[in-house]
Structures are given as structure tokens and as C-alpha cells.
Short mmCIF file of all heavy atoms in Angstrom, two decimals:
data_model
loop_
_atom_site.label_atom_id
_atom_site.label_comp_id
_atom_site.label_asym_id
_atom_site.label_seq_id
_atom_site.Cartn_x
_atom_site.Cartn_y
_atom_site.Cartn_z
N MET A 1 -70.99 99.09 -78.33
CA MET A 1 -69.73 99.80 -78.53
C MET A 1 -69.02 99.23 -79.75
O MET A 1 -68.85 98.04 -79.90
CB MET A 1 -68.87 99.66 -77.28
CG MET A 1 -67.56 100.36 -77.38
SD MET A 1 -66.68 100.21 -75.82
CE MET A 1 -65.71 101.65 -75.94
N LYS A 2 -68.62 100.11 -80.63
CA LYS A 2 -67.96 99.70 -81.87
C LYS A 2 -66.54 99.21 -81.57
O LYS A 2 -65.83 99.78 -80.77
CB LYS A 2 -67.91 100.89 -82.82
CG LYS A 2 -67.30 100.56 -84.16
CD LYS A 2 -67.23 101.78 -85.03
CE LYS A 2 -66.43 101.46 -86.26
NZ LYS A 2 -66.08 102.60 -87.03
N ASN A 3 -66.16 98.14 -82.25
CA ASN A 3 -64.81 97.60 -82.09
C ASN A 3 -63.85 98.47 -82.90
O ASN A 3 -63.90 98.49 -84.12
CB ASN A 3 -64.76 96.15 -82.57
CG ASN A 3 -63.39 95.54 -82.38
OD1 ASN A 3 -62.47 96.17 -81.89
ND2 ASN A 3 -63.27 94.30 -82.78
N ASP A 4 -62.99 99.19 -82.21
CA ASP A 4 -62.04 100.07 -82.89
C ASP A 4 -60.67 99.43 -83.06
O ASP A 4 -59.71 100.09 -83.44
CB ASP A 4 -61.92 101.42 -82.19
CG ASP A 4 -61.37 101.31 -80.78
OD1 ASP A 4 -61.32 100.20 -80.24
OD2 ASP A 4 -61.00 102.35 -80.21
N TRP A 5 -60.56 98.13 -82.82
CA TRP A 5 -59.27 97.45 -82.94
C TRP A 5 -58.69 97.52 -84.35
O TRP A 5 -57.49 97.78 -84.50
CB TRP A 5 -59.39 96.01 -82.46
CG TRP A 5 -58.09 95.28 -82.53
CD1 TRP A 5 -57.82 94.17 -83.27
CD2 TRP A 5 -56.86 95.60 -81.87
NE1 TRP A 5 -56.52 93.79 -83.11
CE2 TRP A 5 -55.90 94.66 -82.25
CE3 TRP A 5 -56.48 96.62 -81.00
CZ2 TRP A 5 -54.59 94.68 -81.80
CZ3 TRP A 5 -55.17 96.64 -80.55
CH2 TRP A 5 -54.24 95.68 -80.94
N PRO A 6 -59.49 97.34 -85.44
CA PRO A 6 -58.89 97.46 -86.78
C PRO A 6 -58.27 98.84 -87.03
O PRO A 6 -57.23 98.94 -87.68
CB PRO A 6 -60.06 97.20 -87.73
CG PRO A 6 -61.01 96.37 -86.94
CD PRO A 6 -60.88 96.88 -85.52
N VAL A 7 -58.89 99.89 -86.53
CA VAL A 7 -58.35 101.23 -86.70
C VAL A 7 -57.04 101.36 -85.92
O VAL A 7 -56.05 101.91 -86.43
CB VAL A 7 -59.36 102.30 -86.23
CG1 VAL A 7 -58.74 103.69 -86.26
CG2 VAL A 7 -60.62 102.26 -87.08
N LYS A 8 -57.00 100.83 -84.71
CA LYS A 8 -55.77 100.87 -83.93
C LYS A 8 -54.67 100.08 -84.61
O LYS A 8 -53.52 100.49 -84.61
CB LYS A 8 -56.02 100.32 -82.52
CG LYS A 8 -56.81 101.25 -81.65
CD LYS A 8 -56.98 100.67 -80.26
CE LYS A 8 -57.80 101.59 -79.39
NZ LYS A 8 -57.96 101.07 -78.04
N GLN A 9 -55.02 98.94 -85.20
CA GLN A 9 -54.03 98.13 -85.90
C GLN A 9 -53.43 98.93 -87.05
O GLN A 9 -52.22 98.89 -87.28
CB GLN A 9 -54.65 96.84 -86.44
CG GLN A 9 -54.89 95.81 -85.38
CD GLN A 9 -55.54 94.57 -85.97
OE1 GLN A 9 -56.42 94.65 -86.83
NE2 GLN A 9 -55.11 93.41 -85.51
N ARG A 10 -54.26 99.65 -87.80
CA ARG A 10 -53.76 100.46 -88.91
C ARG A 10 -52.84 101.56 -88.41
O ARG A 10 -51.80 101.84 -89.01
CB ARG A 10 -54.93 101.07 -89.68
CG ARG A 10 -55.59 100.10 -90.59
CD ARG A 10 -56.51 100.83 -91.54
NE ARG A 10 -57.08 99.89 -92.47
CZ ARG A 10 -58.20 99.21 -92.27
NH1 ARG A 10 -58.87 99.38 -91.16
NH2 ARG A 10 -58.65 98.36 -93.16
N LYS A 11 -53.23 102.20 -87.32
CA LYS A 11 -52.39 103.27 -86.77
C LYS A 11 -51.03 102.73 -86.34
O LYS A 11 -50.00 103.35 -86.59
CB LYS A 11 -53.09 103.95 -85.60
CG LYS A 11 -54.25 104.81 -86.04
CD LYS A 11 -54.91 105.48 -84.86
CE LYS A 11 -56.09 106.31 -85.29
NZ LYS A 11 -56.76 106.95 -84.15
N TYR A 12 -51.04 101.58 -85.71
CA TYR A 12 -49.76 100.98 -85.31
C TYR A 12 -48.94 100.55 -86.53
O TYR A 12 -47.72 100.67 -86.54
CB TYR A 12 -49.97 99.79 -84.37
CG TYR A 12 -50.33 100.22 -82.97
CD1 TYR A 12 -51.53 99.83 -82.40
CD2 TYR A 12 -49.48 101.02 -82.22
CE1 TYR A 12 -51.87 100.23 -81.12
CE2 TYR A 12 -49.80 101.41 -80.94
CZ TYR A 12 -51.01 101.01 -80.39
OH TYR A 12 -51.33 101.41 -79.13
N ALA A 13 -49.61 100.07 -87.56
CA ALA A 13 -48.90 99.68 -88.79
C ALA A 13 -48.26 100.91 -89.44
O ALA A 13 -47.11 100.86 -89.88
CB ALA A 13 -49.85 99.00 -89.76
N ILE A 14 -49.00 102.02 -89.47
CA ILE A 14 -48.46 103.25 -90.03
C ILE A 14 -47.30 103.75 -89.19
O ILE A 14 -46.26 104.15 -89.72
CB ILE A 14 -49.57 104.33 -90.15
CG1 ILE A 14 -50.57 103.92 -91.24
CG2 ILE A 14 -48.97 105.70 -90.47
CD1 ILE A 14 -51.81 104.79 -91.28
N LEU A 15 -47.45 103.71 -87.88
CA LEU A 15 -46.37 104.13 -86.99
C LEU A 15 -45.11 103.29 -87.21
O LEU A 15 -44.01 103.81 -87.34
CB LEU A 15 -46.81 104.03 -85.53
CG LEU A 15 -45.72 104.25 -84.48
CD1 LEU A 15 -45.15 105.66 -84.58
CD2 LEU A 15 -46.27 103.98 -83.10
N PHE A 16 -45.29 101.99 -87.28
CA PHE A 16 -44.16 101.08 -87.47
C PHE A 16 -43.46 101.34 -88.80
O PHE A 16 -42.24 101.49 -88.86
CB PHE A 16 -44.64 99.63 -87.38
CG PHE A 16 -43.56 98.62 -87.48
CD1 PHE A 16 -42.65 98.45 -86.44
CD2 PHE A 16 -43.42 97.85 -88.61
CE1 PHE A 16 -41.63 97.52 -86.53
CE2 PHE A 16 -42.41 96.90 -88.71
CZ PHE A 16 -41.51 96.74 -87.67
N ALA A 17 -44.25 101.43 -89.87
CA ALA A 17 -43.67 101.67 -91.19
C ALA A 17 -43.01 103.04 -91.26
O ALA A 17 -41.91 103.19 -91.81
CB ALA A 17 -44.75 101.54 -92.27
N ALA A 18 -43.65 104.05 -90.69
CA ALA A 18 -43.09 105.40 -90.72
C ALA A 18 -41.76 105.47 -89.95
O ALA A 18 -40.83 106.14 -90.37
CB ALA A 18 -44.08 106.40 -90.13
N THR A 19 -41.70 104.74 -88.85
CA THR A 19 -40.47 104.70 -88.08
C THR A 19 -39.33 104.11 -88.90
O THR A 19 -38.22 104.65 -88.93
CB THR A 19 -40.67 103.89 -86.78
OG1 THR A 19 -41.73 104.50 -86.03
CG2 THR A 19 -39.42 103.85 -85.95
N ILE A 20 -39.62 103.03 -89.58
CA ILE A 20 -38.60 102.40 -90.43
C ILE A 20 -38.18 103.34 -91.56
O ILE A 20 -36.99 103.51 -91.84
CB ILE A 20 -39.11 101.06 -90.99
CG1 ILE A 20 -39.24 100.04 -89.86
CG2 ILE A 20 -38.19 100.53 -92.09
CD1 ILE A 20 -39.98 98.78 -90.24
N LEU A 21 -39.18 103.97 -92.19
CA LEU A 21 -38.89 104.86 -93.31
C LEU A 21 -38.10 106.10 -92.88
O LEU A 21 -37.31 106.65 -93.65
CB LEU A 21 -40.18 105.28 -94.00
CG LEU A 21 -40.93 104.16 -94.73
CD1 LEU A 21 -42.33 104.62 -95.10
CD2 LEU A 21 -40.17 103.71 -95.96
N ALA A 22 -38.31 106.57 -91.66
CA ALA A 22 -37.68 107.80 -91.21
C ALA A 22 -36.35 107.60 -90.49
O ALA A 22 -35.61 108.56 -90.30
CB ALA A 22 -38.64 108.55 -90.27
N THR A 23 -36.05 106.39 -90.11
CA THR A 23 -34.89 106.13 -89.25
C THR A 23 -33.60 106.72 -89.78
O THR A 23 -32.89 107.43 -89.07
CB THR A 23 -34.72 104.62 -89.02
OG1 THR A 23 -35.90 104.14 -88.37
CG2 THR A 23 -33.52 104.33 -88.16
N LYS A 24 -33.25 106.45 -91.01
CA LYS A 24 -31.97 106.91 -91.56
C LYS A 24 -31.90 108.43 -91.59
O LYS A 24 -30.91 109.03 -91.15
CB LYS A 24 -31.76 106.35 -92.96
CG LYS A 24 -30.44 106.74 -93.56
CD LYS A 24 -30.22 106.13 -94.93
CE LYS A 24 -28.89 106.58 -95.50
NZ LYS A 24 -28.68 106.08 -96.84
N LYS A 25 -32.95 109.06 -92.08
CA LYS A 25 -32.95 110.52 -92.18
C LYS A 25 -32.90 111.16 -90.79
O LYS A 25 -32.15 112.11 -90.56
CB LYS A 25 -34.18 111.00 -92.95
CG LYS A 25 -34.17 112.46 -93.25
CD LYS A 25 -33.02 112.80 -94.17
CE LYS A 25 -33.07 114.24 -94.61
NZ LYS A 25 -31.92 114.61 -95.41
N LEU A 26 -33.67 110.62 -89.85
CA LEU A 26 -33.68 111.17 -88.51
C LEU A 26 -32.33 110.98 -87.83
O LEU A 26 -31.88 111.83 -87.07
CB LEU A 26 -34.80 110.56 -87.67
CG LEU A 26 -36.22 110.93 -88.12
CD1 LEU A 26 -37.24 110.18 -87.29
CD2 LEU A 26 -36.45 112.43 -88.03
N HIS A 27 -31.67 109.88 -88.12
CA HIS A 27 -30.34 109.64 -87.57
C HIS A 27 -29.35 110.68 -88.11
O HIS A 27 -28.50 111.20 -87.36
CB HIS A 27 -29.86 108.23 -87.89
CG HIS A 27 -28.50 107.93 -87.38
ND1 HIS A 27 -28.25 107.76 -86.04
CD2 HIS A 27 -27.32 107.78 -88.01
CE1 HIS A 27 -26.96 107.52 -85.88
NE2 HIS A 27 -26.37 107.52 -87.07
N GLU A 28 -29.45 111.00 -89.38
CA GLU A 28 -28.57 111.99 -89.99
C GLU A 28 -28.81 113.38 -89.39
O GLU A 28 -27.86 114.13 -89.18
CB GLU A 28 -28.80 112.05 -91.50
CG GLU A 28 -28.35 110.82 -92.25
CD GLU A 28 -28.81 110.80 -93.70
OE1 GLU A 28 -29.48 111.76 -94.14
OE2 GLU A 28 -28.51 109.82 -94.39
N ILE A 29 -30.06 113.70 -89.13
CA ILE A 29 -30.41 115.03 -88.60
C ILE A 29 -30.02 115.15 -87.14
O ILE A 29 -29.59 116.21 -86.69
CB ILE A 29 -31.93 115.30 -88.78
CG1 ILE A 29 -32.27 115.38 -90.26
CG2 ILE A 29 -32.35 116.57 -88.06
CD1 ILE A 29 -33.75 115.39 -90.55
N GLY A 30 -30.17 114.08 -86.39
CA GLY A 30 -29.87 114.11 -84.97
C GLY A 30 -31.08 114.50 -84.14
O GLY A 30 -32.21 114.50 -84.63
N ASP A 31 -30.84 114.86 -82.90
CA ASP A 31 -31.92 115.16 -81.97
C ASP A 31 -32.40 116.61 -82.02
O ASP A 31 -33.37 116.96 -81.35
CB ASP A 31 -31.49 114.84 -80.53
CG ASP A 31 -31.34 113.35 -80.31
OD1 ASP A 31 -31.97 112.57 -81.04
OD2 ASP A 31 -30.58 112.97 -79.40
N LYS A 32 -31.70 117.44 -82.77
CA LYS A 32 -32.08 118.86 -82.79
C LYS A 32 -33.44 119.04 -83.46
O LYS A 32 -33.79 118.36 -84.42
CB LYS A 32 -31.01 119.67 -83.52
CG LYS A 32 -30.81 119.26 -84.97
CD LYS A 32 -29.68 120.01 -85.61
CE LYS A 32 -29.47 119.42 -87.00
NZ LYS A 32 -28.27 119.83 -87.63
N SER A 33 -34.19 119.97 -82.93
CA SER A 33 -35.50 120.29 -83.50
C SER A 33 -35.29 121.27 -84.65
O SER A 33 -34.66 122.32 -84.48
CB SER A 33 -36.39 120.92 -82.43
OG SER A 33 -37.65 121.20 -82.98
N CYS A 34 -35.76 120.90 -85.83
CA CYS A 34 -35.61 121.77 -86.98
C CYS A 34 -36.64 121.39 -88.04
O CYS A 34 -37.24 120.32 -87.98
CB CYS A 34 -34.19 121.67 -87.55
SG CYS A 34 -33.80 120.05 -88.21
N PRO A 35 -36.86 122.24 -89.02
CA PRO A 35 -37.83 121.95 -90.07
C PRO A 35 -37.52 120.65 -90.83
O PRO A 35 -38.43 119.93 -91.21
CB PRO A 35 -37.74 123.16 -91.00
CG PRO A 35 -37.28 124.28 -90.13
CD PRO A 35 -36.34 123.62 -89.15
N ALA A 36 -36.24 120.34 -91.02
CA ALA A 36 -35.88 119.12 -91.75
C ALA A 36 -36.36 117.88 -91.00
O ALA A 36 -36.81 116.91 -91.61
CB ALA A 36 -34.37 119.05 -91.97
N ARG A 37 -36.26 117.91 -89.69
CA ARG A 37 -36.71 116.79 -88.86
C ARG A 37 -38.23 116.63 -88.99
O ARG A 37 -38.73 115.52 -89.15
CB ARG A 37 -36.30 117.02 -87.41
CG ARG A 37 -36.68 115.90 -86.49
CD ARG A 37 -36.16 116.19 -85.07
NE ARG A 37 -36.45 115.13 -84.18
CZ ARG A 37 -35.76 114.01 -84.07
NH1 ARG A 37 -34.71 113.82 -84.83
NH2 ARG A 37 -36.10 113.07 -83.24
N GLU A 38 -38.95 117.74 -88.89
CA GLU A 38 -40.42 117.68 -89.00
C GLU A 38 -40.83 117.19 -90.39
O GLU A 38 -41.76 116.40 -90.52
CB GLU A 38 -41.03 119.05 -88.71
CG GLU A 38 -40.83 119.52 -87.28
CD GLU A 38 -41.36 118.53 -86.26
OE1 GLU A 38 -42.49 118.04 -86.41
OE2 GLU A 38 -40.62 118.24 -85.30
N PHE A 39 -40.13 117.64 -91.42
CA PHE A 39 -40.43 117.17 -92.77
C PHE A 39 -40.17 115.68 -92.91
O PHE A 39 -40.96 114.96 -93.52
CB PHE A 39 -39.62 117.94 -93.81
CG PHE A 39 -39.85 117.42 -95.21
CD1 PHE A 39 -40.99 117.77 -95.91
CD2 PHE A 39 -38.95 116.55 -95.80
CE1 PHE A 39 -41.24 117.26 -97.18
CE2 PHE A 39 -39.17 116.04 -97.06
CZ PHE A 39 -40.32 116.40 -97.76
N ALA A 40 -39.06 115.20 -92.36
CA ALA A 40 -38.73 113.78 -92.45
C ALA A 40 -39.81 112.92 -91.79
O ALA A 40 -40.20 111.88 -92.32
CB ALA A 40 -37.37 113.51 -91.81
N ILE A 41 -40.31 113.37 -90.66
CA ILE A 41 -41.37 112.64 -89.96
C ILE A 41 -42.66 112.65 -90.78
O ILE A 41 -43.28 111.61 -91.00
CB ILE A 41 -41.60 113.23 -88.56
CG1 ILE A 41 -40.37 112.97 -87.68
CG2 ILE A 41 -42.87 112.66 -87.92
CD1 ILE A 41 -40.36 113.73 -86.37
N THR A 42 -43.05 113.83 -91.25
CA THR A 42 -44.27 113.95 -92.06
C THR A 42 -44.18 113.13 -93.33
O THR A 42 -45.13 112.42 -93.70
CB THR A 42 -44.54 115.43 -92.41
OG1 THR A 42 -44.67 116.17 -91.19
CG2 THR A 42 -45.80 115.59 -93.23
N ASP A 43 -43.05 113.20 -94.00
CA ASP A 43 -42.84 112.45 -95.23
C ASP A 43 -42.93 110.94 -94.98
O ASP A 43 -43.55 110.21 -95.75
CB ASP A 43 -41.48 112.81 -95.83
CG ASP A 43 -41.25 112.17 -97.18
OD1 ASP A 43 -42.13 112.31 -98.07
OD2 ASP A 43 -40.19 111.53 -97.36
N ALA A 44 -42.34 110.48 -93.90
CA ALA A 44 -42.37 109.06 -93.58
C ALA A 44 -43.80 108.59 -93.29
O ALA A 44 -44.21 107.51 -93.73
CB ALA A 44 -41.48 108.77 -92.38
N ILE A 45 -44.57 109.40 -92.59
CA ILE A 45 -45.96 109.05 -92.30
C ILE A 45 -46.77 108.96 -93.59
O ILE A 45 -47.54 108.02 -93.80
CB ILE A 45 -46.59 110.06 -91.32
CG1 ILE A 45 -45.94 109.92 -89.94
CG2 ILE A 45 -48.10 109.87 -91.22
CD1 ILE A 45 -46.27 111.04 -88.98
N GLU A 46 -46.58 109.93 -94.47
CA GLU A 46 -47.31 109.92 -95.75
C GLU A 46 -46.94 108.70 -96.58
O GLU A 46 -47.81 108.06 -97.19
CB GLU A 46 -47.05 111.21 -96.51
CG GLU A 46 -47.72 112.41 -95.87
CD GLU A 46 -47.30 113.74 -96.49
OE1 GLU A 46 -46.47 113.76 -97.43
OE2 GLU A 46 -47.82 114.76 -96.02
N LYS A 47 -45.66 108.35 -96.61
CA LYS A 47 -45.24 107.16 -97.35
C LYS A 47 -45.85 105.90 -96.75
O LYS A 47 -46.32 105.02 -97.47
CB LYS A 47 -43.71 107.05 -97.36
CG LYS A 47 -43.04 108.03 -98.27
CD LYS A 47 -41.52 107.90 -98.18
CE LYS A 47 -40.82 108.93 -99.05
NZ LYS A 47 -39.36 108.88 -98.89
N ALA A 48 -45.84 105.83 -95.44
CA ALA A 48 -46.41 104.66 -94.76
C ALA A 48 -47.90 104.54 -95.04
O ALA A 48 -48.42 103.44 -95.26
CB ALA A 48 -46.16 104.74 -93.26
N GLU A 49 -48.61 105.66 -95.04
CA GLU A 49 -50.04 105.65 -95.34
C GLU A 49 -50.29 105.16 -96.76
O GLU A 49 -51.21 104.37 -97.01
CB GLU A 49 -50.64 107.04 -95.15
CG GLU A 49 -50.80 107.43 -93.71
CD GLU A 49 -51.31 108.84 -93.55
OE1 GLU A 49 -51.03 109.71 -94.40
OE2 GLU A 49 -51.99 109.08 -92.54
N ARG A 50 -49.46 105.62 -97.72
CA ARG A 50 -49.63 105.17 -99.11
C ARG A 50 -49.39 103.67 -99.23
O ARG A 50 -50.12 102.96 -99.93
CB ARG A 50 -48.69 105.93 -100.04
CG ARG A 50 -49.14 107.34 -100.33
CD ARG A 50 -48.41 107.98 -101.50
NE ARG A 50 -46.97 108.05 -101.31
CZ ARG A 50 -46.32 109.07 -100.75
NH1 ARG A 50 -46.99 110.10 -100.31
NH2 ARG A 50 -45.01 109.06 -100.64
N ILE A 51 -48.38 103.18 -98.54
CA ILE A 51 -48.10 101.74 -98.56
C ILE A 51 -49.27 100.97 -97.97
O ILE A 51 -49.72 99.97 -98.54
CB ILE A 51 -46.79 101.44 -97.79
CG1 ILE A 51 -45.58 102.00 -98.53
CG2 ILE A 51 -46.64 99.93 -97.53
CD1 ILE A 51 -44.31 102.02 -97.71
N LEU A 52 -49.78 101.43 -96.84
CA LEU A 52 -50.90 100.75 -96.20
C LEU A 52 -52.15 100.76 -97.09
O LEU A 52 -52.87 99.77 -97.17
CB LEU A 52 -51.21 101.39 -94.85
CG LEU A 52 -52.09 100.60 -93.91
CD1 LEU A 52 -51.52 99.21 -93.64
CD2 LEU A 52 -52.28 101.35 -92.61
N LYS A 53 -52.39 101.87 -97.80
CA LYS A 53 -53.53 101.94 -98.71
C LYS A 53 -53.37 100.93 -99.85
O LYS A 53 -54.34 100.28 -100.25
CB LYS A 53 -53.68 103.35 -99.27
CG LYS A 53 -54.29 104.31 -98.28
CD LYS A 53 -54.40 105.70 -98.86
CE LYS A 53 -54.91 106.67 -97.81
NZ LYS A 53 -55.01 108.04 -98.31
N LYS A 54 -52.16 100.81 -100.39
CA LYS A 54 -51.91 99.83 -101.45
C LYS A 54 -52.17 98.41 -100.96
O LYS A 54 -52.74 97.58 -101.66
CB LYS A 54 -50.48 99.95 -101.99
CG LYS A 54 -50.25 101.18 -102.79
CD LYS A 54 -50.97 101.07 -104.11
CE LYS A 54 -50.64 102.26 -104.98
NZ LYS A 54 -51.38 102.23 -106.23
N ILE A 55 -51.72 98.13 -99.74
CA ILE A 55 -51.96 96.81 -99.15
C ILE A 55 -53.46 96.57 -99.00
O ILE A 55 -53.97 95.50 -99.34
CB ILE A 55 -51.24 96.68 -97.80
CG1 ILE A 55 -49.73 96.65 -98.01
CG2 ILE A 55 -51.72 95.44 -97.03
CD1 ILE A 55 -48.92 96.78 -96.73
N GLU A 56 -54.17 97.59 -98.52
CA GLU A 56 -55.63 97.46 -98.33
C GLU A 56 -56.35 97.27 -99.67
O GLU A 56 -57.32 96.51 -99.74
CB GLU A 56 -56.16 98.70 -97.60
CG GLU A 56 -57.62 98.63 -97.25
CD GLU A 56 -57.97 97.51 -96.28
OE1 GLU A 56 -57.11 97.12 -95.47
OE2 GLU A 56 -59.11 97.02 -96.35
N GLU A 57 -55.88 97.93 -100.72
CA GLU A 57 -56.48 97.74 -102.05
C GLU A 57 -56.31 96.30 -102.52
O GLU A 57 -57.21 95.72 -103.12
CB GLU A 57 -55.85 98.69 -103.06
CG GLU A 57 -56.25 100.13 -102.89
CD GLU A 57 -55.43 101.07 -103.78
OE1 GLU A 57 -54.63 100.59 -104.62
OE2 GLU A 57 -55.59 102.30 -103.62
N ARG A 58 -55.15 95.75 -102.27
CA ARG A 58 -54.87 94.40 -102.75
C ARG A 58 -55.49 93.33 -101.87
O ARG A 58 -55.97 92.32 -102.37
CB ARG A 58 -53.36 94.19 -102.83
CG ARG A 58 -53.00 92.86 -103.41
CD ARG A 58 -51.65 92.87 -104.00
NE ARG A 58 -51.40 91.61 -104.65
CZ ARG A 58 -50.30 91.31 -105.27
NH1 ARG A 58 -49.35 92.20 -105.37
NH2 ARG A 58 -50.13 90.13 -105.81
N TRP A 59 -55.45 93.54 -100.56
CA TRP A 59 -56.01 92.57 -99.62
C TRP A 59 -56.95 93.29 -98.66
O TRP A 59 -56.58 93.58 -97.52
CB TRP A 59 -54.90 91.88 -98.82
CG TRP A 59 -53.97 91.08 -99.66
CD1 TRP A 59 -54.22 89.89 -100.26
CD2 TRP A 59 -52.62 91.42 -100.02
NE1 TRP A 59 -53.12 89.46 -100.96
CE2 TRP A 59 -52.11 90.39 -100.82
CE3 TRP A 59 -51.80 92.50 -99.74
CZ2 TRP A 59 -50.83 90.41 -101.35
CZ3 TRP A 59 -50.52 92.53 -100.25
CH2 TRP A 59 -50.05 91.48 -101.05
N PRO A 60 -58.18 93.61 -99.11
CA PRO A 60 -59.11 94.36 -98.26
C PRO A 60 -59.43 93.59 -96.97
O PRO A 60 -59.57 92.38 -96.97
CB PRO A 60 -60.36 94.53 -99.10
CG PRO A 60 -60.10 93.84 -100.39
CD PRO A 60 -58.73 93.24 -100.38
N SER A 61 -59.56 94.35 -95.90
CA SER A 61 -59.87 93.73 -94.60
C SER A 61 -61.35 93.46 -94.45
O SER A 61 -61.75 92.64 -93.62
CB SER A 61 -59.37 94.62 -93.47
OG SER A 61 -60.07 95.84 -93.49
N GLY A 62 -62.19 94.19 -95.18
CA GLY A 62 -63.62 93.96 -95.11
C GLY A 62 -64.30 94.65 -93.95
O GLY A 62 -65.48 94.49 -93.74
N ASP A 63 -63.59 95.46 -93.19
CA ASP A 63 -64.21 96.12 -92.04
C ASP A 63 -64.80 97.48 -92.39
O ASP A 63 -65.39 98.13 -91.55
CB ASP A 63 -63.22 96.25 -90.88
CG ASP A 63 -62.04 97.16 -91.20
OD1 ASP A 63 -61.97 97.68 -92.32
OD2 ASP A 63 -61.20 97.33 -90.31
N GLN A 64 -64.66 97.91 -93.62
CA GLN A 64 -65.26 99.13 -94.14
C GLN A 64 -64.77 100.41 -93.48
O GLN A 64 -65.39 101.45 -93.61
CB GLN A 64 -66.80 99.07 -94.03
CG GLN A 64 -67.43 97.88 -94.71
CD GLN A 64 -67.13 97.82 -96.19
OE1 GLN A 64 -67.16 98.82 -96.87
NE2 GLN A 64 -66.82 96.64 -96.70
N SER A 65 -63.69 100.38 -92.74
CA SER A 65 -63.16 101.61 -92.17
C SER A 65 -61.98 102.07 -93.01
O SER A 65 -61.00 101.36 -93.12
CB SER A 65 -62.74 101.42 -90.71
OG SER A 65 -61.77 100.42 -90.62
N PRO A 66 -62.10 103.25 -93.65
CA PRO A 66 -61.04 103.71 -94.54
C PRO A 66 -59.79 104.10 -93.79
O PRO A 66 -59.84 104.53 -92.64
CB PRO A 66 -61.66 104.96 -95.21
CG PRO A 66 -62.69 105.42 -94.25
CD PRO A 66 -63.20 104.18 -93.53
N VAL A 67 -58.66 103.95 -94.46
CA VAL A 67 -57.39 104.40 -93.91
C VAL A 67 -57.36 105.92 -94.04
O VAL A 67 -57.63 106.44 -95.10
CB VAL A 67 -56.20 103.77 -94.67
CG1 VAL A 67 -54.90 104.32 -94.16
CG2 VAL A 67 -56.25 102.27 -94.58
N GLN A 68 -57.05 106.60 -92.95
CA GLN A 68 -57.05 108.07 -93.01
C GLN A 68 -55.72 108.62 -92.74
O GLN A 68 -54.87 108.35 -92.13
CB GLN A 68 -58.07 108.62 -92.05
CG GLN A 68 -59.45 108.19 -92.46
CD GLN A 68 -60.54 108.85 -91.61
OE1 GLN A 68 -60.30 109.85 -90.98
NE2 GLN A 68 -61.69 108.28 -91.63
#
């Protein structure tokens, strides 16, 4: 069985970073469901993924599983 822990770690790192990146905008929007809220979440995830890729480029983990 393949160890999927590195992939889970990346997903949690992206989730954590995306949460931080989206907090202010989501607070401004509030709890209402709207396109702006969905965009803020998507944008935060994309930013977090880019940050994680930059980190991986600089300090590769060596596990050969790409960030997706």
C-alpha cells in the first residue's frame, strides 16, 4: 500500500494557507451564498497552491508526487 501521507500533508497545507488567505474577504462577504464568496474561496485555494509549489521548488520533498 502506497503511503499517501505526503499528499495529505500538502492538502492540509493548502487548506490552511487558503483559509488564511480567504479570511478577510469571507468575513466582509458574510455567510450569504453568492458568486463573490465562491470566487474568494477559489482564489484563495489557487494562491495557496502557487505558494506551495514555490516552496516545493525551493525545498523539494523528494517524494515525487506533484502538487495538484
